[in-house]
Amino acid sequence: AGPASVQAGGHAALVVRGGRIEAAGRRREVAAAARRTDLDDAAILPGFVNAHAHLELAALRRKVPAGGGFVPWIERLIAAKAERSSAQLARDAEDAIREMLRNGFTAVADFSTEGVSYAPMNDLGIRGACLIEAIGWRAADAARIEAEVRALLARLPDTDRVRLGVAPHAPYSVSAPLLERLAALAQEEDRPLSIHLAETEEETEFLQAGTGPLRRLLERRGVWDDGWAPPGASPVRTARDRGLLSPRTIAAHGNLAGGAEDVRILKESGATVAFCPCSHAFFGRPPHPWPALRAAGVPVALGTDSHASNDALSPWRGMGVARAALPELSPRDLLRAATIAGARALDPGAAGPLAAKPLAAGARADFAAVRVPPGLDAGMIEPFLVEHADHVVLTAVGGAVRHDGR
């Protein structure tokens, strides 16, 4: 069965106990629950997973225009973010989490400055990874920045819902020694890792030739390292050579990762690519290589990126934009990317029957219920969800209701 394999409002039901699904199937076939919630005409899906986000940037919706190219956008983003205090960024992250829960997200992989999203994620009950973002181009600073990341990880313990991880920002903003140190840290402590990768042409030019707008950006910001030499390789190969790619890795964007060597490297590494359709459209990028990645067996999940490049933290908007840009993808492809693929990326150790059937007995009770028309034919549920749905009736994480839209 596909991701929308259990439908409520016909004759289907879930029984939840102790944060997990105890039974799933037709209402008459599962045990009666102590407390019954009737969702009327709704489809129950595995919870949506946002595989790439910057929750702390929620206040920047429509405030960072894309004009002039990627690097001018980065500079505007840096300036806008600098106006927000840490306390404001934490409140902005709260707003973003509430928006995601309203839209059916139950988990997120968040790039977080100094862990500002850690408390909001725990307080509001969403599941996921709080990824400590690290930036530092000078090789001489690598040991100090690694120590700062380790100190944050020690201060913010994993909880039953939120894991701590590392997020070296990108191969053009993090020095090779720091990339290697953070990759080793993630492996040593078995932590999730995410990195912006193969996102732009500017990144490719910089890593292959050491020239272009990104070099000029680093020089303008006074952080250029005269000892650096370009690796002369693609971003994906550079990440592989620095030890960054593994099954615990989420490669954010992957817009230019469709070449044969890059696809092979990603496949062999077990990393997941997080495609962000709305951000992709915001910058007017060429078609994403998802079809080539899919054909090779590279996992692709869906992300939102931030409000600085996306008006809505919504799986519905993301699936719709992706469907319009890549019509060869089926509704099931999109739903799996928005749910199961992201869940596996956040918890690669969960491979097996429960990962394949996230609404089966024994699975975590992370799900979203979505309004569907009365009497909708079973074969039309998945197309409807991708093309028309947006009313989330209920979002549950570990069986606890985190959004009630009834």
Side-chain angles (χ1 to χ4, degrees):
S5 57
V6 179
Q7 183 187 8
H11 302 284
L14 296 179
V15 178
V16 175
R17 186 171 282 113
R20 292 190 175 270
I21 295 171
E22 184 174 88
R26 290 189 171 275
R27 190 176 299 172
R28 66 174 180 268
E29 296 170 354
V30 300
R35 186 179 65 182
R36 175 172 162 171
T37 301
D38 193 339
L39 300 177
D40 297 322
D41 295 294
I44 302 178
L45 296 87
F48 289 99
V49 178
N50 188 346
H52 179 61
H54 297 263
L55 302 178
E56 63 200 37
L57 302 183
L60 303 188
R61 191 195 317 252
R62 301 193 184 107
K63 293 184 178 179
V64 190
F70 182 65
V71 169
W73 177 83
I74 288 178
E75 292 184 291
R76 289 191 288 270
L77 173 61
I78 291 170
K81 181 180 175 182
E83 296 178 359
R84 311 290 290 173
S85 68
S86 293
Q88 288 174 319
L89 292 176
R91 288 196 296 272
D92 296 340
E94 290 180 6
D95 292 341
I97 293 168
R98 290 191 177 95
E99 179 181 353
M100 287 196 304
L101 291 169
R102 289 194 301 270
N103 283 318
F105 281 116
T106 59
V108 60
D110 180 49
F111 273 54
S112 183
T113 301
E114 298 182 352
V116 297
S117 64
Y118 173 81
M121 288 176 69
N122 279 289
D123 292 345
L124 296 176
I126 200 164
R127 198 181 300 281
C130 177
L131 303 160
I132 305 302
E133 187 171 32
I135 297 175
W137 184 246
R138 291 195 184 98
D141 295 333
R144 173 184 59 80
I145 295 172
E146 180 202 5
E148 292 171 353
V149 172
R150 286 184 178 274
L152 271 171
L153 295 175
R155 182 168 62 84
L156 303 174
D158 289 353
T159 68
D160 60 341
R161 286 188 306 273
V162 180
R163 296 192 66 202
L164 273 291
V166 294
H169 175 264
Y172 58 79
S173 58
V174 180
S175 69
L178 183 53
L179 289 173
E180 292 171 354
R181 285 171 175 269
L182 295 177
L185 187 163
Q187 180 176 10
E188 169 193 331
E189 300 188 4
D190 190 26
R191 294 189 180 276
L193 180 150
S194 189
I195 182 170
H196 297 95
L197 195 65
E199 184 176 2
T200 69
E201 294 284 0
E202 292 92 334
E203 176 189 357
T204 300
E205 177 187 358
F206 180 69
L207 293 176
Q208 290 184 338
T211 58
L214 284 168
R215 174 169 182 147
R216 293 192 291 274
L217 172 65
L218 293 169
E219 290 172 338
R220 282 196 300 276
R221 295 189 64 77
V223 296
W224 180 252
D225 190 331
D226 288 328
W228 181 78
S234 75
V236 171
R237 183 175 172 185
T238 299
R240 190 274 312 273
D241 292 347
R242 301 302 177 200
L244 292 159
L245 299 181
S246 78
R248 70 174 67 84
T249 302
I250 298 176
H253 299 292
N255 300 331
L256 302 174
E261 183 187 44
D262 287 350
V263 171
R264 176 182 58 79
I265 289 171
L266 289 167
K267 170 63 176 174
E268 291 175 352
S269 74
T272 296
V273 172
F275 173 35
C276 301
C278 296
S279 179
H280 198 89
F282 175 82
F283 288 107
R285 304 205 188 284
H288 192 273
W290 184 353
L293 296 168
R294 178 187 59 171
V298 176
V300 177
L302 290 188
T304 63
D305 210 351
S306 78
H307 272 314
S309 62
N310 182 1
D311 283 352
L313 305 185
S314 165
W316 316 105
R317 177 79 63 83
M319 289 189 294
V321 170
R323 176 82 161 152
L326 300 168
E328 62 268 46
L329 296 174
S330 71
R332 183 164 295 188
D333 290 329
L334 292 159
L335 286 164
R336 289 182 66 86
T339 57
I340 296 171
R344 288 176 174 171
L346 282 175
D347 189 5
L354 295 184
K357 295 182 178 180
L359 294 182
R364 289 170 175 162
D366 295 359
F367 59 88
V370 185
R371 182 69 65 225
V372 297
L376 183 66
D377 183 79
M380 293 303 298
I381 292 175
E382 290 176 356
F384 174 85
L385 290 170
V386 169
E387 296 168 8
H388 302 292
D390 63 2
H391 179 193
V392 176
V393 180
L394 184 143
T395 303
V397 182
V401 175
R402 299 300 178 181
H403 164 69
D404 190 337
R406 291 174 289 167

